[in-house]
Amino acid sequence: MNSQQLDPAVISAIADFEKSNVPGVWATLDKNQVLADMRSRVADPFLVNQGGQPFCGPASILFELIRKQPLRYVQICRSIFETGSFQGQTTRIKASQTLVKSRGRLRLSQADWMVLATLREAENSIFNIEVESPDIIRNLSGMTKSWEMKGWTREVLGYHQVKYIHTYIFGEYEALNEASTIIDSGGVAFGLITASGLLGGKKPFLPYPNHWITILGNISFKGGSWFDQESGRVSLDIYSWAKKFHIDLDERPFEDYFWGVVMGSM
């Protein structure tokens, strides 16, 4: 895990939130626990965890928010806790009354749930996020599309230049090269993958895109090329499920399990 030096402004913002007498609007959340979760995450963003919820897309966004803009993270958490909403770059992102009044087993930490569920539900036109929904409804309501990742990259993270490059057939080399340049210049990159193949070490019967990750960098290509018959290797560092993974994989299976990249830069 990677801890980071806390900005005094972040510490002060958390203390102000703690002293606030404004009651929370969430039926199932305890303010002291939310504060404890927040403090642990601004100290170590790798603690962000989607847990047992299908919130991989929002979790990837939240991780980068805390890592790069911890003060804004604290401000967003306070606003969601006290009002059920927060102001994005161009629109207000709001949790429904169904969500704020719901009770049950969250399957992840309270602070993570509050932010991730709000982000996820705000994009849903059919399914509300409910704590005790059946698995099939939770999975349908938690599916994240590339345009939603682009929207959160703009609205939550504040990046002005946002794009998605799909690599369904080819283009992995070019996409990762561009992602590396953007990351090195202070931007962000999120990859769409087949989780069991790229992270689980299992060969799925039919690979399909089902999981978003945060690409951290350290991207390299060794041997072969994407254009000849000799297989090379691809390596990179990523965040997912409260962990830092180092992926080092032959080119062929990597192509099968890597589907695209959303990138954001100033």
Side-chain angles (χ1 to χ4, degrees), residues 168 193-198 202-211 253 255-259:
Y168 281 50
I193 68 167
T194 300
S196 61
L198 207 60
K202 300 177 182 177
K203 185 176 181 179
F205 174 72
L206 182 64
Y208 64 94
N210 62 2
H211 189 65
E255 288 179 320
D256 291 338
Y257 306 143
F258 192 84
W259 301 90

Side-chain angles (χ1 to χ4, degrees), residues 29 33 37 41 48-55 59 62 104-117 131 138:
L29 300 184
Q33 185 58 56
D37 293 342
R41 279 145 181 77
V48 171
N49 194 345
Q50 71 183 81
Q53 298 285 1
F55 294 160
L62 180 59
R105 186 165 59 95
L106 302 182
R107 299 178 175 87
L108 71 166
S109 78
Q110 292 194 20
D112 289 352
W113 158 263
M114 181 178 69
V115 179
L116 300 182
V131 176
R138 287 193 302 109

Side-chain angles (χ1 to χ4, degrees), residues 25-211:
V25 299
W26 296 77
T28 198
L29 300 184
D30 174 74
K31 183 175 179 179
N32 289 331
Q33 185 58 56
V34 169
L35 285 162
D37 293 342
M38 290 168 57
R39 287 189 173 101
S40 68
R41 279 145 181 77
V42 295
D44 185 359
F46 280 90
L47 292 175
V48 171
N49 194 345
Q50 71 183 81
Q53 298 285 1
F55 294 160
C56 58
S60 297
I61 297 288
L62 180 59
F63 169 78
E64 285 291 48
L65 174 67
I66 300 172
R67 194 163 74 112
K68 295 180 179 294
Q69 305 174 58
L71 179 58
R72 176 159 167 75
Y73 163 70
V74 173
Q75 293 166 341
I76 286 174
C77 282
R78 179 174 178 176
S79 183
I80 296 177
F81 184 84
E82 294 181 346
T83 72
S85 65
F86 73 95
Q87 183 60 46
Q89 296 299 310
T90 65
T91 188
R92 194 154 192 89
I93 297 172
K94 184 177 182 179
S96 70
Q97 285 301 301
T98 299
L99 180 58
V100 299
K101 291 179 180 179
S102 62
R103 295 179 180 274
R105 186 165 59 95
L106 302 182
R107 299 178 175 87
L108 71 166
S109 78
Q110 292 194 20
D112 289 352
W113 158 263
M114 181 178 69
V115 179
L116 300 182
T118 298
L119 289 177
R120 182 57 271 161
E121 191 193 54
E123 294 294 326
N124 289 357
S125 59
I126 299 176
F127 298 103
N128 285 339
I129 299 294
E130 296 184 27
V131 176
E132 293 294 355
S133 293
D135 286 350
I136 187 171
I137 298 299
R138 287 193 302 109
N139 289 331
L140 286 170
S141 64
M143 292 172 61
T144 296
K145 280 71 72 179
S146 59
W147 57 88
E148 293 169 338
M149 290 296 289
K150 289 171 63 180
W152 291 326
T153 301
R154 290 192 188 96
E155 291 293 331
V156 180
L157 301 181
Y159 289 96
H160 305 304
Q161 304 297 321
V162 179
K163 66 188 296 187
Y164 172 62
I165 299 177
H166 73 78
T167 60
Y168 281 50
I169 301 175
F170 57 83
E172 291 86 356
Y173 177 84
E174 292 82 1
L176 285 175
N177 261 341
E178 185 168 352
S180 181
T181 299
I182 285 175
I183 291 167
D184 289 345
S185 65
V188 293
F190 306 102
L192 179 59
I193 68 167
T194 300
S196 61
L198 207 60
L199 302 180
K202 300 177 182 177
K203 185 176 181 179
F205 174 72
L206 182 64
Y208 64 94
N210 62 2
H211 189 65

Side-chain angles (χ1 to χ4, degrees), residues 205-260:
F205 174 72
L206 182 64
Y208 64 94
N210 62 2
H211 189 65
W212 287 95
I213 59 174
T214 302
I215 300 175
L216 301 175
N218 195 23
I219 300 168
S220 67
F221 309 95
K222 300 176 182 177
S225 79
W226 298 93
F227 308 107
D228 63 27
Q229 298 303 310
E230 181 184 359
S231 178
R233 290 187 73 81
V234 185
S235 65
L236 66 158
D237 292 335
I238 68 102
Y239 153 83
S240 185
W241 292 314
K243 294 180 182 179
K244 179 179 180 179
F245 292 85
H246 179 68
I247 296 171
D248 185 24
L249 202 63
D250 284 342
E251 171 194 331
R252 300 303 182 189
F254 186 89
E255 288 179 320
D256 291 338
Y257 306 143
F258 192 84
W259 301 90

